[in-house]
């Protein structure tokens, strides 16, 4: 399971041991700070912090490496900004990147990369089920019942998605392969190609949803109160980390 | 344990699938329900844990009526059900998370859940995979996970709905071994299949045809009946019946597979 984007890497580091709620909260604070910083130098601080935390997590380079599939997106964001920002042209041609664009492009791209990296640090040090349990506990005090769901249902939805999204992708791949092998013109006409793929995938996923709902019901799923294999307990260390993060964030934002 | 009395069922679209079914499943027994696709096997067993309620008649589990809404969760915990498609029963990202789903619904404490999960996973022989992502498992391993998920709720009765039909032959025989082991250790088993070969080691075979019980008895009697009516039975069984009719082997012999027939004809030392 190592190497996939946002996958969990088992370990026993301090970061692995922190309560998921603390980690989720910290990533949220860091995201706010990263979005607010408008100088590359500030972002360097976050990059260094990331390197430090990665060493602490002991997950090595796998977190950074797993971000590689997103490289085209990073390049795309960078290029869009460098070409389409108003400013002094770099070359003497009609279509040229601008100085301002290069600056803004690198700023936006680095921010984005940092967000992804911190996100993957969270997921690589926290089991999916523990993240789900954490989110459940964060949502529990909210008046979700008024909109007709419970925090437990939200959490179950998330853990179902963790299996079903990759499974549906696999399933779509299977259907596409079988269509191609029967000589479909999938590649020639993108619109009808997409439709002829989407319809069976949609049908299949409805059938699967029906089946899963039945399996869940026979395993006594009721949507209201349930417990978790992974019990969450805030320790003194969790409280300490939480207050440091909160303190630093407040200081940076309001000082 | 489970009792169906005069059960008929029509789907909401009016399609009548079950017609006046009477079945009693005894504690500790191993019952196979055999029938062609569309004969109503799934519809029948879904009555046994209250997923479906009969249009007519009564279904009770350990004396409790499945139509009573307050006892339904107790019934579903007593009667565990494993389904056909290994890919559409997964409810967690990893094996242990998936197996924990049932006990979590019963709102048990996390150390209690841990114990049940570890036990259930050991029962199906997936000890070294408990942390694996379900996405990375084979169909057979997924089906074992599904069985563990049901075992973790410590049910007394286990129902298997064509659980091997989407698996390769190796995983298939592994799953059948697990089912037989569970029955030997005291679980009541209802095993649904459309493969005659998988019906041979049961204590009792119920043949379902177009929503009615066509025959019900020991495998020997039921397969004799099928053979006598001129329909196909597994080849080694046909051979055994012919040899019996010719008086060459004892009429008491009922070989569960070709190997045990061979042992009967020429025992190896
Ligand atoms: N949800 C449903 N609505 C209407 N008809 C159904 C439904 N599910 C199954 N059936 C019909 O009921 C019959 C028996 O189905 P089923 O119990 O699944 O048979 P089996 O499991 O033996 O293959 C089939 O003819 C099938 O088309
Ligand atoms: Mg069926």
């Amino acid at each position: 399971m190592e190497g996939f984007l946002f996958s969990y890497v088992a370990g026993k580091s301090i970061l692995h041991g922190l309560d998921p709620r603390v980690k989720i909260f910290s990533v949220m604070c860091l995201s706010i700070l990263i979005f607010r910083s408008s100088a590359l130098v500030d972002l360097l601080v976050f990059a260094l912090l990331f390197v430090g935390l990665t060493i602490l997590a002991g997950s090595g380079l796998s977190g950074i490496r797993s971000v590689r599939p997103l490289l085209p997106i990073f390049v795309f964001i960078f290029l869009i900004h460098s070409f389409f920002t108003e400013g002094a042209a770099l070359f003497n041609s009609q279509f040229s990147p601008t100085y301002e664009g290069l600056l803004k492009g690198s700023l936006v791209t680095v921010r984005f990369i940092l967000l992804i990296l911190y996100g993957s640090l969270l997921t690589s040090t926290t089991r999916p089920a523990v993240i789900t349990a954490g989110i459940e506990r964060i949502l529990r005090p909210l008046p979700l019942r008024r909109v007709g769901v419970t925090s437990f249902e939200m959490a179950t939805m998330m853990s179902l998605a963790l299996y079903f999204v990759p499974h549906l992708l696999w399933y779509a791949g299977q259907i596409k392969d079988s269509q191609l092998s029967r000589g479909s013109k999938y590649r020639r006409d993108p619109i009808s190609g997409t439709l002829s793929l989407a319809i069976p995938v949609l049908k299949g996923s409805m059938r699967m949803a029906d089946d899963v709902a039945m399996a869940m019901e026979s395993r006594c799923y009721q949507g209201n109160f349930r417990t978790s294999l992974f019990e969450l307990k805030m320790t003194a260390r969790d409280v300490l980390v939480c207050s440091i993060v909160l303190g630093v964030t407040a200081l940076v934002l309001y000082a | 344990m489970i009792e169906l009395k005069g059960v008929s069922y029509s789907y909401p679209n009016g399609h009548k699938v079950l017609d006046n079914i009477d079945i009693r499943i005894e504690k500790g027994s191993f019952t196979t329900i055999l029938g062609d696709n569309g004969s109503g096997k799934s519809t029948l067993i879904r009555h046994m844990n209250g997923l479906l309620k009969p249009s007519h008649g009564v279904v009770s589990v350990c004396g409790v009526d499945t139509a009573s809404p307050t006892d339904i969760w107790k019934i579903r915990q007593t009667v565990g059900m494993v389904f056909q498609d290994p890919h559409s029963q997964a409810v967690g990202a990893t094996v242990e998370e998936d197996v924990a789903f049932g006990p979590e619904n019963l709102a048990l404490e996390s150390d209690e859940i841990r114990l049940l999960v570890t036990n259930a996973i050991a029962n199906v022989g997936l000890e070294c995979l408990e942390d694996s992502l379900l996405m990375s498992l084979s169909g057979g391993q997924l089906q074992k996970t599904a069985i563990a998920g049901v075992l973790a709720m410590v049910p007394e009765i286990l129902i298997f709905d064509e659980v091997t039909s989407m698996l390769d032959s190796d995983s298939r025989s592994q799953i059948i071994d697990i089912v037989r082991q569970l029955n030997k250790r005291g679980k009541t088993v209802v095993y649904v299949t459309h493969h005659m070969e998988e019906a041979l080691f049961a204590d009792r075979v119920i043949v379902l045809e177009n929503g009615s019980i066509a025959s019900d008895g020991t495998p020997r009697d039921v397969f004799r009946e099928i053979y006598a009516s001129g329909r196909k039975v597994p080849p080694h069984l046909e051979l055994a019946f012919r040899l019996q009719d010719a008086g060459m082997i004892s009429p008491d012999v009922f070989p569960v597979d070709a190997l045990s027939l061979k042992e009967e004809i020429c025992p190896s030392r």
Side-chain angles (χ1 to χ4, degrees):
Chain A
M1 60 205 274
E2 220 170 296
F4 289 114
L5 185 58
F6 296 132
S7 63
Y8 173 66
V9 184
K12 288 195 160 39
S13 73
I14 300 180
L15 287 189
H16 283 83
L18 279 179
D19 189 283
R21 288 165 285 186
V22 174
K23 286 188 267 190
I24 294 169
F25 177 73
S26 308
V27 169
M28 276 160 55
C29 288
L30 277 165
S31 314
I32 294 172
L33 293 181
I34 289 170
F35 259 109
R36 298 264 315 212
S37 39
S38 43
L40 281 170
V41 194
D42 294 347
L43 292 178
L44 190 66
V45 176
F46 291 110
L48 287 176
L49 178 66
F50 173 78
V51 172
L53 290 174
T54 306
I55 294 170
L56 200 61
S59 45
L61 289 175
S62 74
I64 301 174
R65 249 189 252 124
S66 72
V67 175
R68 257 192 318 204
L70 296 180
L71 204 64
I73 300 180
F74 299 149
V75 173
F76 180 74
I77 294 177
F78 180 72
L79 290 180
I80 286 282
H81 279 98
S82 21
F83 278 90
F84 293 100
T85 307
E86 294 279 324
L90 210 56
F91 309 117
N92 208 352
S93 105
Q94 274 257 326
F95 196 62
S96 152
T98 61
Y99 285 112
E100 287 81 356
L102 282 186
L103 208 63
K104 190 168 169 214
S106 27
L107 194 66
V108 172
T109 313
V110 172
R111 269 187 199 154
F112 189 58
I113 293 176
L114 281 173
L115 285 184
I116 300 280
L117 284 176
Y118 277 108
S120 76
L121 190 60
L122 168 70
T123 53
S124 70
T125 59
T126 324
R127 278 166 196 288
V130 175
I131 296 183
T132 321
I135 293 177
E136 190 279 311
R137 288 301 289 271
I138 292 172
L139 294 177
R140 207 185 284 180
L142 299 183
L144 286 171
R145 269 173 214 276
R146 272 205 235 132
V147 287
V149 290
T150 63
S151 56
F152 298 100
E153 286 170 320
M154 302 280 280
T156 309
M157 263 185 248
M158 279 184 287
S159 37
L160 283 176
L162 285 175
Y163 173 73
F164 269 90
V165 173
H167 179 63
L168 274 182
L169 289 177
W170 171 85
Y171 182 68
Q174 297 264 304
I175 289 185
K176 188 171 140 189
D177 285 350
S178 78
Q179 284 177 345
L180 282 178
S181 70
R182 276 180 279 134
S184 98
K185 297 184 190 64
Y186 185 84
R187 288 182 196 286
R188 303 231 178 90
D189 172 2
I191 293 178
S192 73
T194 308
L195 269 184
S196 69
L197 182 65
I199 290 170
V201 169
L202 209 62
K203 253 187 173 162
S205 57
M206 310 256 246
R207 205 206 60 238
M208 265 184 259
D210 262 357
D211 287 356
V212 176
M214 197 159 53
M216 288 167 68
E217 255 189 78
S218 24
R219 283 161 78 181
C220 291
Y221 177 72
Q222 305 173 58
N224 49 24
F225 187 77
R226 58 198 300 270
T227 49
S228 171
L229 172 62
F230 303 98
E231 195 185 11
L232 303 186
K233 249 198 227 120
M234 281 276 191
T235 60
R237 193 175 60 189
D238 291 312
V239 175
L240 181 69
V241 172
C242 215
S243 29
I244 292 174
V245 171
L246 192 64
V248 172
T249 309
L251 210 69
V252 174
L253 287 184
Y254 299 107
Chain B
M1 287 244 102
I2 302 182
E3 188 160 25
L4 286 82
K5 273 198 217 132
V7 169
S8 300
Y9 183 78
S10 306
Y11 277 104
N13 65 4
H15 185 56
K16 183 160 188 179
V17 179
L18 297 181
D19 188 22
N20 199 20
I21 303 267
D22 291 295
I23 295 177
R24 252 184 83 91
I25 305 283
E26 303 297 339
K27 190 175 168 69
S29 62
F30 190 131
T31 308
T32 295
I33 297 180
L34 184 65
D36 295 331
N37 285 329
S39 57
K41 305 182 296 294
S42 299
T43 308
L44 173 64
I45 50 136
R46 281 169 199 177
H47 280 80
M48 297 182 176
N49 73 345
L51 281 175
L52 295 174
K53 309 274 158 43
S55 314
H56 293 287
V58 182
V59 180
S60 61
V61 175
C62 301
V64 181
D65 192 335
T66 58
S68 108
T70 47
D71 297 320
I72 193 70
W73 305 112
K74 178 70 191 137
I75 288 175
R76 291 197 181 144
Q77 191 251 304
T78 313
V79 185
M81 194 174 284
V82 186
F83 297 86
Q84 181 170 14
D85 185 350
H87 295 283
S88 8
Q89 300 174 63
V91 289
T94 68
V95 171
E96 60 175 13
E97 287 167 28
D98 189 86
V99 174
F101 184 76
E104 287 174 347
N105 289 332
L106 301 177
L108 304 176
E109 297 291 327
S110 75
D111 39 2
E112 211 174 335
I113 299 178
R114 169 63 60 195
L115 206 68
L116 290 168
V117 167
T118 311
N119 262 333
I121 289 177
N123 264 312
V124 298
L126 286 184
E127 291 94 334
C128 40
L129 290 176
E130 46 183 17
D131 245 346
S132 306
L133 286 177
L134 292 188
M135 260 319 282
S136 64
L137 301 188
S138 70
Q141 291 166 333
L142 275 176
Q143 208 58 307
K144 288 180 196 169
T145 307
I147 296 177
V150 166
L151 289 177
M153 302 177 73
V154 204
E156 290 171 48
I157 306 162
L158 294 164
I159 301 184
F160 300 89
D161 189 359
E162 302 203 45
V163 288
T164 58
S165 64
M166 297 170 94
L167 306 181
D168 58 74
S169 67
D170 266 357
S171 330
R172 193 162 162 165
S173 53
Q174 287 173 20
I175 297 278
I176 292 174
D177 281 346
I178 291 173
V179 172
R180 295 180 70 182
Q181 275 303 317
L182 289 169
N183 176 248
K184 286 210 184 86
R185 277 188 250 139
K187 303 278 187 204
T188 307
V189 169
V190 177
Y191 188 89
V192 173
T193 180
H194 67 267
H195 290 294
M196 290 187 174
E197 291 83 357
E198 294 188 1
L200 300 176
F201 17 74
D203 309 328
R204 175 186 181 194
V205 179
I206 297 175
V207 180
L208 205 63
E209 265 175 34
N210 295 320
S212 314
I213 295 177
S215 33
D216 179 352
T218 61
R220 181 198 322 209
D221 294 345
V222 168
F223 281 101
R224 257 295 176 187
E225 200 181 307
I226 295 175
Y227 176 65
S229 71
R231 275 170 297 163
K232 258 187 133 55
V233 294
H236 77 274
L237 212 54
E238 180 174 344
L239 179 57
F241 288 154
R242 285 191 181 195
L243 290 171
Q244 284 171 353
D245 292 345
M248 293 167 75
I249 58 173
S250 144
D252 299 329
V253 171
F254 186 75
V256 293
D257 51 25
L259 201 64
S260 45
L261 176 61
K262 185 226 138 217
E263 281 300 304
E264 199 58 49
I265 302 170
C266 48
S268 56
R269 269 164 287 261

